[in-house]
Amino acid sequence: MKLILSGLSPEEDLANLAKHMSHFGPVRGVQPVREGDPQRPWFIVDLDLPHGAAVAVARRIDGIYFNGRFLHASVMLPIGSDK
């Protein structure tokens, strides 16, 4: 499942972010999204977790203070059918 993280610095170190997120499960990748306001990017973290576990991680980390900023986290809902 993919988590959307916001509230982080535009200079956020992707390797460091992946390292911290790996405490919750295997990280498949981290992708910054800088469209819109480049000073307020989003980060999409792809974790190898089922939906319920990803929701638990998002709830656990939402609102924490990380690298001098408050982090906001939510689960990215899948698009389409898994048939």
Side-chain angles (χ1 to χ4, degrees):
M1 290 293 334
K2 293 181 181 180
L3 297 183
I4 299 173
L5 305 181
S6 62
L8 297 172
S9 167
E11 293 85 28
E12 187 64 47
D13 180 341
L14 299 182
N16 186 46
L17 182 57
K19 176 184 167 192
H20 279 86
M21 293 303 295
S22 71
H23 293 288
F24 303 106
V27 176
R28 294 180 185 161
V30 177
Q31 176 186 0
V33 179
R34 301 185 192 285
E35 287 80 15
D37 184 352
Q39 295 303 308
R40 300 178 72 186
W42 301 359
F43 295 88
I44 299 174
V45 179
D46 190 1
L47 293 170
D48 188 14
L49 294 175
H51 179 75
V55 169
V57 169
R59 286 181 179 162
R60 181 173 175 185
I61 66 174
D62 186 57
I64 66 167
Y65 198 67
F66 179 75
N67 287 346
R69 294 173 174 244
F70 286 101
L71 174 73
H72 302 286
S74 60
V75 174
M76 181 181 248
L77 297 176
I79 298 174
S81 176
D82 288 345
K83 291 182 183 179

Coordinates of all heavy atoms in Angstrom, one line a residue:
M1 N 0.8 -1.2 0.0 CA 0.0 0.0 0.0 C 0.9 1.2 0.0 O 2.0 1.2 0.5 CB -0.9 0.1 1.2 CG -2.0 -0.9 1.4 SD -3.4 -0.9 0.3 CE -3.7 0.6 -0.3
K2 N 0.3 2.3 -0.5 CA 1.1 3.5 -0.6 C 0.5 4.5 0.4 O -0.7 4.6 0.6 CB 1.0 4.1 -2.0 CG 1.7 3.3 -3.0 CD 1.6 3.9 -4.4 CE 2.3 3.0 -5.4 NZ 2.2 3.6 -6.8
L3 N 1.5 5.2 1.1 CA 1.1 6.2 2.1 C 1.5 7.6 1.4 O 2.5 7.7 0.7 CB 1.9 6.1 3.4 CG 1.7 4.8 4.2 CD1 2.5 4.9 5.5 CD2 0.2 4.6 4.5
I4 N 0.6 8.6 1.7 CA 0.9 9.9 1.3 C 1.4 10.7 2.5 O 0.7 10.7 3.5 CB -0.3 10.6 0.7 CG1 -0.8 9.9 -0.6 CG2 0.0 12.1 0.4 CD1 -2.1 10.4 -1.1
L5 N 2.6 11.2 2.5 CA 3.1 12.0 3.6 C 3.2 13.5 3.2 O 3.7 13.8 2.1 CB 4.5 11.5 4.0 CG 4.6 10.0 4.3 CD1 6.1 9.7 4.7 CD2 3.7 9.6 5.4
S6 N 2.8 14.3 4.0 CA 2.9 15.8 3.7 C 3.4 16.4 5.0 O 3.5 15.9 6.1 CB 1.6 16.4 3.3 OG 0.6 16.3 4.3
G7 N 3.8 17.7 4.9 CA 4.3 18.5 6.0 C 5.8 18.4 6.1 O 6.4 19.1 7.0
L8 N 6.5 17.7 5.3 CA 7.9 17.5 5.3 C 8.6 18.6 4.5 O 8.0 19.3 3.7 CB 8.4 16.1 4.8 CG 7.8 15.0 5.6 CD1 8.1 13.7 4.9 CD2 8.5 15.0 7.0
S9 N 9.9 18.8 4.8 CA 10.7 19.8 4.1 C 10.9 19.4 2.6 O 11.0 18.2 2.3 CB 12.1 19.8 4.8 OG 13.0 20.6 4.0
P10 N 11.0 20.4 1.7 CA 11.3 20.2 0.3 C 12.7 19.5 0.1 O 12.9 18.9 -0.9 CB 11.1 21.5 -0.4 CG 11.0 22.5 0.7 CD 10.7 21.8 2.0
E11 N 13.5 19.7 1.1 CA 14.9 19.1 1.0 C 15.0 17.8 1.7 O 16.1 17.3 2.0 CB 15.9 20.1 1.7 CG 16.1 21.4 0.9 CD 15.1 22.4 1.3 OE1 14.6 22.4 2.4 OE2 14.7 23.3 0.4
E12 N 13.9 17.2 2.0 CA 13.8 15.9 2.7 C 14.7 14.9 2.0 O 14.6 14.7 0.8 CB 12.4 15.4 2.9 CG 12.3 14.1 3.7 CD 12.7 14.4 5.2 OE1 12.2 15.4 5.7 OE2 13.4 13.6 5.8
D13 N 15.6 14.2 2.8 CA 16.5 13.2 2.2 C 15.6 11.9 2.0 O 15.1 11.3 3.0 CB 17.6 12.9 3.2 CG 18.6 11.9 2.8 OD1 18.3 11.1 1.9 OD2 19.7 11.9 3.4
L14 N 15.5 11.5 0.8 CA 14.6 10.3 0.4 C 15.2 9.0 1.0 O 14.4 8.2 1.5 CB 14.4 10.2 -1.1 CG 13.8 11.4 -1.8 CD1 13.7 11.1 -3.3 CD2 12.5 11.7 -1.2
A15 N 16.5 8.9 1.1 CA 17.1 7.7 1.6 C 16.8 7.6 3.1 O 16.5 6.5 3.7 CB 18.6 7.6 1.4
N16 N 16.9 8.8 3.8 CA 16.6 8.8 5.2 C 15.2 8.5 5.5 O 14.8 7.8 6.5 CB 17.0 10.2 5.8 CG 16.9 10.3 7.3 OD1 17.4 9.4 8.0 ND2 16.4 11.4 7.8
L17 N 14.3 9.1 4.7 CA 12.9 8.8 4.9 C 12.5 7.4 4.7 O 11.8 6.8 5.5 CB 12.0 9.7 3.9 CG 10.5 9.6 4.0 CD1 10.0 9.9 5.4 CD2 9.9 10.5 2.9
A18 N 13.1 6.8 3.7 CA 12.9 5.3 3.4 C 13.4 4.5 4.6 O 12.8 3.5 5.0 CB 13.6 4.9 2.1
K19 N 14.6 4.9 5.1 CA 15.1 4.2 6.3 C 14.2 4.2 7.5 O 13.9 3.2 8.1 CB 16.5 4.8 6.7 CG 17.1 4.2 7.9 CD 18.4 4.9 8.2 CE 18.8 4.5 9.6 NZ 19.9 5.3 10.1
H20 N 13.7 5.4 7.8 CA 12.7 5.5 8.9 C 11.4 4.8 8.6 O 10.9 4.1 9.5 CB 12.4 7.0 9.2 CG 13.5 7.6 10.0 ND1 14.6 8.2 9.4 CD2 13.7 7.8 11.3 CE1 15.4 8.7 10.4 NE2 14.9 8.4 11.5
M21 N 10.9 4.8 7.4 CA 9.7 4.1 7.1 C 9.9 2.6 7.1 O 8.9 1.8 7.3 CB 9.1 4.6 5.8 CG 8.6 6.0 5.8 SD 7.4 6.4 7.1 CE 6.0 5.4 6.5
S22 N 11.1 2.1 6.9 CA 11.3 0.7 6.9 C 11.1 0.0 8.2 O 11.1 -1.2 8.3 CB 12.7 0.4 6.3 OG 13.7 0.8 7.3
H23 N 11.0 0.8 9.3 CA 10.7 0.3 10.6 C 9.3 -0.3 10.6 O 9.0 -1.1 11.5 CB 10.8 1.4 11.7 CG 12.2 1.8 11.9 ND1 13.2 1.1 12.5 CD2 12.8 3.0 11.5 CE1 14.3 1.7 12.5 NE2 14.1 2.9 11.9
F24 N 8.5 0.1 9.7 CA 7.1 -0.3 9.7 C 6.8 -1.5 8.7 O 5.8 -2.1 8.7 CB 6.1 0.8 9.3 CG 6.3 2.0 10.3 CD1 6.9 3.1 10.0 CD2 5.8 1.8 11.6 CE1 7.1 4.2 10.9 CE2 5.9 2.9 12.5 CZ 6.6 4.0 12.2
G25 N 7.8 -1.7 7.8 CA 7.6 -2.7 6.8 C 8.6 -2.4 5.6 O 9.2 -1.4 5.5
P26 N 8.7 -3.4 4.7 CA 9.6 -3.2 3.5 C 9.1 -2.0 2.7 O 8.0 -1.9 2.3 CB 9.5 -4.5 2.8 CG 8.9 -5.5 3.8 CD 8.1 -4.7 4.7
V27 N 10.1 -1.2 2.3 CA 9.8 0.0 1.5 C 10.1 -0.4 0.1 O 11.3 -0.7 -0.2 CB 10.6 1.2 2.0 CG1 10.4 2.4 1.0 CG2 10.3 1.6 3.4
R28 N 9.2 -0.3 -0.8 CA 9.4 -0.5 -2.2 C 9.9 0.7 -2.9 O 10.6 0.6 -4.0 CB 8.1 -0.9 -2.9 CG 7.5 -2.2 -2.4 CD 6.2 -2.5 -3.1 NE 5.6 -3.7 -2.6 CZ 4.3 -4.0 -2.8 NH1 3.6 -3.2 -3.5 NH2 3.8 -5.1 -2.3
G29 N 9.6 1.9 -2.4 CA 10.1 3.1 -3.0 C 9.5 4.4 -2.4 O 8.5 4.3 -1.6
V30 N 10.2 5.5 -2.6 CA 9.7 6.8 -2.1 C 9.8 7.7 -3.3 O 10.8 7.9 -4.0 CB 10.6 7.3 -1.0 CG1 10.2 8.7 -0.5 CG2 10.7 6.4 0.2
Q31 N 8.6 8.4 -3.5 CA 8.5 9.3 -4.7 C 8.1 10.7 -4.2 O 7.0 10.8 -3.6 CB 7.5 8.8 -5.7 CG 7.3 9.7 -6.9 CD 6.2 9.1 -7.8 OE1 5.6 8.1 -7.5 NE2 5.9 9.9 -8.8
P32 N 8.9 11.7 -4.4 CA 8.4 13.1 -4.1 C 7.5 13.6 -5.2 O 7.6 13.3 -6.4 CB 9.7 13.9 -4.1 CG 10.6 13.2 -5.0 CD 10.3 11.7 -4.9
V33 N 6.5 14.4 -4.8 CA 5.5 15.0 -5.7 C 5.7 16.5 -5.4 O 5.2 17.0 -4.4 CB 4.1 14.5 -5.4 CG1 3.1 15.2 -6.4 CG2 4.0 13.0 -5.6
R34 N 6.3 17.2 -6.3 CA 6.6 18.6 -6.1 C 5.7 19.6 -7.0 O 5.8 20.8 -6.9 CB 8.0 18.9 -6.5 CG 9.0 18.1 -5.6 CD 10.4 18.4 -5.8 NE 11.3 17.5 -5.2 CZ 11.6 17.4 -3.9 NH1 11.0 18.2 -3.1 NH2 12.4 16.5 -3.5
E35 N 4.7 19.0 -7.7 CA 3.8 19.8 -8.5 C 3.0 20.6 -7.5 O 2.7 20.2 -6.4 CB 2.9 19.0 -9.4 CG 3.6 18.4 -10.6 CD 4.4 17.2 -10.3 OE1 4.2 16.6 -9.2 OE2 5.3 16.8 -11.1
G36 N 2.5 21.8 -8.0 CA 1.8 22.7 -7.1 C 2.7 23.6 -6.4 O 3.5 24.3 -7.0
D37 N 2.8 23.6 -5.1 CA 3.7 24.4 -4.3 C 5.0 23.6 -4.0 O 4.9 22.7 -3.2 CB 3.0 24.8 -3.0 CG 3.8 25.8 -2.2 OD1 5.0 26.0 -2.5 OD2 3.3 26.3 -1.2
P38 N 6.1 23.9 -4.6 CA 7.3 23.1 -4.4 C 7.9 23.2 -3.0 O 8.7 22.4 -2.6 CB 8.3 23.7 -5.5 CG 7.7 25.0 -5.9 CD 6.3 25.0 -5.6
Q39 N 7.4 24.2 -2.2 CA 7.8 24.4 -0.8 C 7.0 23.5 0.1 O 7.4 23.4 1.3 CB 7.7 25.8 -0.4 CG 8.7 26.7 -1.1 CD 10.1 26.3 -1.0 OE1 10.6 26.0 0.1 NE2 10.8 26.1 -2.1
R40 N 6.0 22.8 -0.4 CA 5.1 22.0 0.4 C 4.9 20.6 -0.4 O 3.8 20.3 -0.8 CB 3.8 22.6 0.7 CG 4.0 23.9 1.5 CD 2.8 24.7 1.7 NE 2.1 23.9 2.7 CZ 0.9 24.2 3.1 NH1 0.2 25.2 2.6 NH2 0.3 23.4 4.1
P41 N 5.9 19.9 -0.6 CA 5.8 18.6 -1.4 C 5.1 17.6 -0.7 O 5.0 17.6 0.6 CB 7.2 18.2 -1.7 CG 8.0 18.7 -0.5 CD 7.3 20.0 -0.2
W42 N 4.6 16.6 -1.4 CA 4.1 15.3 -0.8 C 5.1 14.3 -1.1 O 5.9 14.4 -2.0 CB 2.8 14.9 -1.6 CG 1.6 15.8 -1.6 CD1 1.5 17.0 -1.0 CD2 0.4 15.5 -2.3 NE1 0.3 17.5 -1.3 CE2 -0.4 16.6 -2.0 CE3 0.0 14.4 -3.0 CZ2 -1.7 16.6 -2.6 CZ3 -1.3 14.5 -3.5 CH2 -2.1 15.5 -3.3
F43 N 5.1 13.2 -0.4 CA 5.9 12.1 -0.6 C 5.1 10.8 -0.6 O 4.3 10.7 0.3 CB 7.0 12.0 0.5 CG 8.0 13.2 0.5 CD1 7.7 14.3 1.2 CD2 9.1 13.1 -0.3 CE1 8.5 15.4 1.2 CE2 10.0 14.2 -0.3 CZ 9.7 15.3 0.4
I44 N 5.2 10.0 -1.6 CA 4.5 8.8 -1.7 C 5.4 7.7 -1.3 O 6.4 7.5 -2.0 CB 3.9 8.6 -3.1 CG1 2.9 9.7 -3.5 CG2 3.2 7.2 -3.2 CD1 2.4 9.6 -4.9
V45 N 5.1 7.0 -0.2 CA 5.9 5.9 0.2 C 5.2 4.6 0.0 O 4.1 4.4 0.5 CB 6.2 6.0 1.8 CG1 7.1 4.9 2.2 CG2 6.9 7.4 2.0
D46 N 5.8 3.7 -0.8 CA 5.2 2.5 -1.2 C 5.7 1.4 -0.2 O 6.9 1.0 -0.3 CB 5.5 2.1 -2.6 CG 4.8 0.9 -3.2 OD1 3.9 0.3 -2.4 OD2 5.0 0.5 -4.3
L47 N 4.9 0.9 0.6 CA 5.2 -0.1 1.6 C 4.6 -1.4 1.2 O 3.5 -1.5 0.7 CB 4.7 0.3 3.0 CG 5.3 1.5 3.7 CD1 4.5 1.9 4.9 CD2 6.7 1.2 4.1
D48 N 5.3 -2.5 1.4 CA 4.8 -3.8 1.2 C 4.0 -4.3 2.4 O 4.5 -5.1 3.1 CB 6.0 -4.8 0.9 CG 5.6 -6.1 0.4 OD1 4.4 -6.3 0.0 OD2 6.4 -7.0 0.3
L49 N 2.8 -3.7 2.5 CA 1.9 -4.0 3.6 C 0.5 -4.2 3.1 O 0.1 -3.5 2.1 CB 1.9 -2.9 4.7 CG 3.2 -2.6 5.4 CD1 3.0 -1.4 6.3 CD2 3.6 -3.8 6.3
P50 N -0.3 -5.0 3.8 CA -1.7 -5.0 3.4 C -2.4 -3.7 3.9 O -1.9 -3.0 4.7 CB -2.2 -6.3 4.1 CG -1.3 -6.5 5.2 CD 0.0 -6.0 4.8
H51 N -3.6 -3.5 3.3 CA -4.3 -2.3 3.6 C -4.5 -2.0 5.1 O -4.2 -0.9 5.5 CB -5.7 -2.3 2.9 CG -6.5 -1.1 3.2 ND1 -6.3 0.1 2.5 CD2 -7.6 -0.9 4.0 CE1 -7.1 1.0 3.0 NE2 -7.9 0.4 3.8
G52 N -4.9 -2.9 5.9 CA -5.2 -2.7 7.3 C -3.9 -2.3 8.0 O -3.9 -1.4 8.9
A53 N -2.8 -2.9 7.7 CA -1.5 -2.6 8.3 C -1.1 -1.2 7.9 O -0.5 -0.4 8.7 CB -0.5 -3.6 8.0
A54 N -1.3 -0.8 6.7 CA -0.9 0.5 6.2 C -1.7 1.6 6.9 O -1.2 2.6 7.3 CB -1.1 0.6 4.7
V55 N -3.0 1.3 7.1 CA -3.9 2.3 7.8 C -3.4 2.4 9.3 O -3.3 3.6 9.8 CB -5.4 1.8 7.8 CG1 -6.2 2.6 8.8 CG2 -5.9 1.9 6.4
A56 N -3.0 1.3 9.9 CA -2.4 1.4 11.3 C -1.1 2.2 11.3 O -0.9 3.0 12.2 CB -2.2 0.0 11.8
V57 N -0.3 2.1 10.3 CA 1.0 2.9 10.2 C 0.6 4.4 10.1 O 1.2 5.2 10.8 CB 1.9 2.4 9.1 CG1 3.0 3.4 8.9 CG2 2.4 1.0 9.4
A58 N -0.3 4.7 9.1 CA -0.7 6.1 8.9 C -1.2 6.7 10.2 O -0.9 7.8 10.5 CB -1.7 6.2 7.8
R59 N -2.1 6.0 10.9 CA -2.6 6.5 12.1 C -1.5 6.7 13.2 O -1.6 7.7 13.9 CB -3.7 5.6 12.7 CG -5.0 5.6 11.9 CD -6.0 4.7 12.4 NE -7.2 4.8 11.7 CZ -8.2 3.9 11.7 NH1 -8.1 2.8 12.5 NH2 -9.3 4.0 11.0
R60 N -0.6 5.8 13.2 CA 0.5 5.9 14.2 C 1.4 7.1 14.0 O 1.8 7.7 14.9 CB 1.3 4.6 14.2 CG 2.4 4.6 15.2 CD 3.0 3.2 15.2 NE 4.2 3.2 16.1 CZ 5.0 2.3 16.3 NH1 4.8 1.1 15.7 NH2 6.0 2.4 17.1
I61 N 1.7 7.4 12.7 CA 2.7 8.4 12.4 C 2.1 9.8 12.1 O 2.8 10.8 12.1 CB 3.7 8.0 11.3 CG1 3.0 7.9 10.0 CG2 4.4 6.8 11.7 CD1 3.9 7.6 8.8
D62 N 0.8 9.8 11.9 CA 0.1 11.1 11.6 C 0.2 12.1 12.8 O -0.1 11.7 13.9 CB -1.4 10.9 11.2 CG -2.0 12.2 10.8 OD1 -1.6 12.8 9.8 OD2 -3.0 12.6 11.4
G63 N 0.8 13.2 12.5 CA 0.9 14.2 13.6 C 2.2 14.2 14.4 O 2.4 15.1 15.2
I64 N 3.1 13.3 14.1 CA 4.3 13.2 14.8 C 5.2 14.4 14.3 O 5.1 14.9 13.2 CB 5.1 11.9 14.7 CG1 5.5 11.6 13.3 CG2 4.2 10.7 15.3 CD1 6.5 10.4 13.2
Y65 N 6.2 14.7 15.2 CA 7.2 15.7 14.9 C 8.4 15.0 14.3 O 9.0 14.2 15.0 CB 7.5 16.5 16.1 CG 8.2 17.8 15.9 CD1 7.6 18.9 15.3 CD2 9.5 18.0 16.3 CE1 8.2 20.1 15.1 CE2 10.2 19.2 16.2 CZ 9.5 20.2 15.6 OH 10.1 21.5 15.4
F66 N 8.8 15.3 13.0 CA 9.8 14.6 12.4 C 10.7 15.6 11.6 O 10.2 16.3 10.8 CB 9.2 13.5 11.4 CG 10.2 12.8 10.6 CD1 11.0 11.7 11.2 CD2 10.5 13.1 9.2 CE1 11.9 11.0 10.4 CE2 11.4 12.4 8.5 CZ 12.1 11.3 9.1
N67 N 12.0 15.6 12.0 CA 12.9 16.5 11.3 C 12.5 18.0 11.4 O 12.6 18.7 10.4 CB 13.2 16.1 9.9 CG 14.1 14.9 9.8 OD1 14.7 14.5 10.8 ND2 14.2 14.3 8.7
G68 N 11.9 18.4 12.5 CA 11.6 19.8 12.7 C 10.2 20.2 12.2 O 9.9 21.4 12.1
R69 N 9.4 19.2 11.7 CA 8.1 19.5 11.2 C 7.1 18.5 11.6 O 7.4 17.4 11.9 CB 8.2 19.5 9.6 CG 9.1 20.6 9.1 CD 9.2 20.5 7.6 NE 9.9 21.6 7.0 CZ 9.4 22.5 6.2 NH1 8.2 22.3 5.7 NH2 10.2 23.5 5.7
F70 N 5.8 18.9 11.5 CA 4.8 17.9 11.8 C 4.4 17.2 10.6 O 4.1 17.8 9.5 CB 3.5 18.7 12.4 CG 3.8 19.1 13.8 CD1 4.1 20.4 14.1 CD2 3.7 18.2 14.9 CE1 4.3 20.9 15.4 CE2 3.9 18.6 16.2 CZ 4.2 19.9 16.4
L71 N 4.4 15.9 10.7 CA 4.1 15.0 9.6 C 2.6 14.7 9.5 O 2.0 14.5 10.5 CB 4.9 13.7 9.8 CG 4.7 12.5 8.8 CD1 5.3 12.9 7.5 CD2 5.3 11.3 9.4
H72 N 2.1 14.6 8.3 CA 0.7 14.2 8.1 C 0.8 13.0 7.2 O 1.5 13.0 6.2 CB -0.1 15.3 7.5 CG -0.1 16.5 8.3 ND1 -0.8 16.6 9.5 CD2 0.6 17.7 8.2 CE1 -0.6 17.8 10.0 NE2 0.2 18.5 9.2
A73 N 0.0 11.9 7.5 CA 0.0 10.7 6.8 C -1.4 10.2 6.5 O -2.2 10.3 7.4 CB 0.8 9.6 7.6
S74 N -1.6 9.6 5.3 CA -2.8 9.0 5.0 C -2.5 7.9 4.0 O -1.4 7.8 3.4 CB -3.8 9.9 4.4 OG -3.3 10.5 3.2
V75 N -3.4 6.9 3.9 CA -3.3 5.8 2.9 C -3.8 6.3 1.6 O -4.9 6.8 1.5 CB -4.0 4.6 3.4 CG1 -4.0 3.5 2.4 CG2 -3.4 4.1 4.7
M76 N -3.1 6.0 0.5 CA -3.5 6.3 -0.8 C -4.4 5.1 -1.3 O -4.0 4.0 -1.2 CB -2.3 6.4 -1.8 CG -2.7 6.7 -3.2 SD -1.2 6.7 -4.2 CE -1.2 8.4 -4.6
L77 N -5.7 5.4 -1.6 CA -6.6 4.4 -2.0 C -6.3 3.9 -3.4 O -5.9 4.6 -4.2 CB -8.0 5.0 -1.9 CG -8.5 5.4 -0.6 CD1 -9.9 6.1 -0.6 CD2 -8.5 4.3 0.4
P78 N -6.5 2.6 -3.6 CA -6.2 2.0 -4.9 C -7.2 2.5 -5.9 O -8.4 2.7 -5.6 CB -6.3 0.5 -4.7 CG -7.1 0.3 -3.4 CD -6.9 1.6 -2.6
I79 N -6.8 2.6 -7.1 CA -7.6 3.0 -8.2 C -7.9 1.7 -9.1 O -7.0 1.0 -9.4 CB -7.0 4.0 -9.1 CG1 -6.7 5.3 -8.3 CG2 -7.8 4.4 -10.4 CD1 -5.9 6.4 -9.0
G80 N -9.2 1.5 -9.4 CA -9.6 0.4 -10.2 C -9.9 -0.8 -9.4 O -9.9 -0.8 -8.2
S81 N -10.0 -1.9 -10.1 CA -10.4 -3.2 -9.5 C -9.2 -4.1 -9.4 O -8.3 -4.1 -10.2 CB -11.5 -3.9 -10.3 OG -11.8 -5.1 -9.8
D82 N -9.1 -4.9 -8.3 CA -8.1 -5.9 -8.1 C -8.5 -7.3 -8.7 O -7.9 -8.3 -8.3 CB -7.7 -6.0 -6.7 CG -7.0 -4.9 -6.1 OD1 -6.5 -4.0 -6.9 OD2 -6.9 -4.7 -4.9
K83 N -9.4 -7.3 -9.6 CA -9.9 -8.6 -10.2 C -8.9 -9.2 -11.0 O -8.1 -8.7 -11.7 CB -11.2 -8.4 -10.9 CG -12.4 -8.0 -10.1 CD -13.6 -7.9 -10.9 CE -14.8 -7.4 -10.0 NZ -16.0 -7.2 -10.7

